[in-house]
Amino acid sequence: MQDETVDPTALRGDCANCFGLCCVALPFARSADFAIDKPAGTPCPNLGEDHRCGIHARLRQKGFTGCTVYDCFGAGQKVSQVTFGGRDRSGASPADARRMNEVFPVVRQLHELLWYLAEAQGLPAARPVHADLRRSLARTEELTLLPPAELVALDVGSHRQDVNVLLLRTSELVRAGVGGRRKERRGADLMGARLKGADLHGANLRGACLIAADLTGADLRRADMIGADLRDADLTDADLTGAFFLTQPQLNAARGSAGTRVPGSLARPVHWTTPL
């Protein structure tokens, strides 16, 4: 991702500079993803006084798979070090601590939009909307710097709709270069679908439910993957070269192999090649 406003490294979670916000602000329920129930605003029992997870290296073994497929897109360190100026909960009033919990999910949404906008801006095929993307990215970054009270009151949904117009246009421009009949699977229910070896080159998979789908050897080159649910999807030997709007959490939620081709901006999940 190339952009003059946001450093790509700032759009990845940096736990060393965060006060463990995702481990406090967010709720989770006992399920296949989490071993226990935890309400919003309550610290996870695995969170240490140093704001680090005490079982980080063993999350999957301990029943916290949900934590391994989550990324704040850099919102944690932004809220910790910028919005609240490096003041953690130990020195904050109860009101400020509550406000921190309220602000974090808002900034997380904005940082996710920054990730998509920055990626779109780096796609040559989207050149006709690069100027609009730059303006939208700059505006989104400005919103992340608002004071806590203004962030809590922000209509993120409205801003997301404006950004989505540009992301949709980006998708059309990128997939238009594929040629032929491009598959439209936007929002499709493909849970458990048998798509082994499927030709999904340039497909629109925005918001598609691909939970536990068999995508072994599938051609997903230059597919729009924004919001696609890949939990437990089998991407063994699939080709995701040039797939766009695909995030690290989506990959982390899927299964894959050493033969799976992933975009260069993302890392191959460790659990794809390492036994649990």
Side-chain angles (χ1 to χ4, degrees), residues 140-272:
T140 304
E141 173 65 11
E142 288 176 358
L143 293 176
T144 70
L145 301 175
L146 290 172
E150 293 183 41
L151 280 167
V152 172
L154 183 66
D155 185 352
V156 181
S158 177
H159 182 66
R160 181 180 288 274
Q161 289 178 1
D162 293 339
V163 171
N164 193 48
V165 171
L166 288 174
L167 299 183
L168 283 168
R169 180 57 180 150
T170 296
S171 178
E172 293 170 355
L173 290 167
V174 174
R175 294 185 301 111
V178 174
R181 186 176 180 180
R182 301 182 302 281
K183 294 179 173 60
E184 289 292 330
R185 296 289 187 270
R186 182 176 181 179
D189 183 359
L190 298 171
M191 180 183 291
R194 298 177 181 178
L195 297 169
K196 183 176 182 178
D199 178 8
L200 295 169
H201 187 192
N204 183 0
L205 292 169
R206 295 171 64 90
C209 176
L210 289 160
I211 297 174
D214 181 4
L215 289 161
T216 303
D219 183 355
L220 291 159
R221 291 175 297 157
R222 293 169 73 175
D224 183 344
M225 304 296 294
I226 195 168
D229 193 337
L230 295 174
R231 284 178 292 171
D232 206 32
D234 191 349
L235 294 174
T236 298
D237 296 334
D239 190 351
L240 290 143
T241 304
F244 58 101
F245 299 151
L246 178 69
T247 66
Q248 193 66 52
Q250 285 173 292
L251 272 190
N252 291 349
R255 293 179 288 131
S257 67
T260 305
R261 298 181 182 179
V262 303
S265 61
L266 302 177
R268 187 181 306 278
V270 174
H271 69 275
W272 283 9

Side-chain angles (χ1 to χ4, degrees), residues 27-155:
F28 50 74
R30 184 190 296 270
S31 61
D33 294 322
F34 297 101
I36 60 173
D37 292 316
K38 188 193 83 65
T42 300
C44 173
N46 298 311
L47 184 66
E49 294 183 1
D50 59 354
H51 310 303
R52 306 302 292 271
C53 175
I55 61 169
H56 187 267
R58 296 171 289 129
L59 284 167
R60 287 181 177 272
Q61 296 93 321
K62 292 292 186 178
F64 288 86
T65 301
C67 297
T68 70
V69 299
Y70 177 82
D71 192 336
C72 71
F73 295 98
Q77 63 261 31
K78 172 71 74 63
V79 173
S80 298
Q81 302 301 329
V82 178
T83 312
F84 287 90
R87 301 185 303 276
D88 66 15
R89 285 181 173 77
S90 63
S93 67
D96 282 344
R98 287 194 299 272
R99 182 53 55 90
M100 193 178 293
N101 293 335
E102 295 169 342
V103 165
F104 172 67
V106 175
V107 177
R108 196 271 182 188
Q109 291 185 66
L110 293 173
H111 265 240
E112 183 178 12
L113 294 178
L114 286 175
W115 173 273
Y116 292 134
L117 287 165
E119 180 178 1
Q121 195 173 303
L123 296 172
R127 190 174 302 279
V129 292
H130 276 182
D132 291 332
L133 288 166
R134 283 194 296 271
R135 284 190 288 270
S136 184
L137 190 149
R139 175 54 180 160
T140 304
E141 173 65 11
E142 288 176 358
L143 293 176
T144 70
L145 301 175
L146 290 172
E150 293 183 41
L151 280 167
V152 172
L154 183 66
D155 185 352

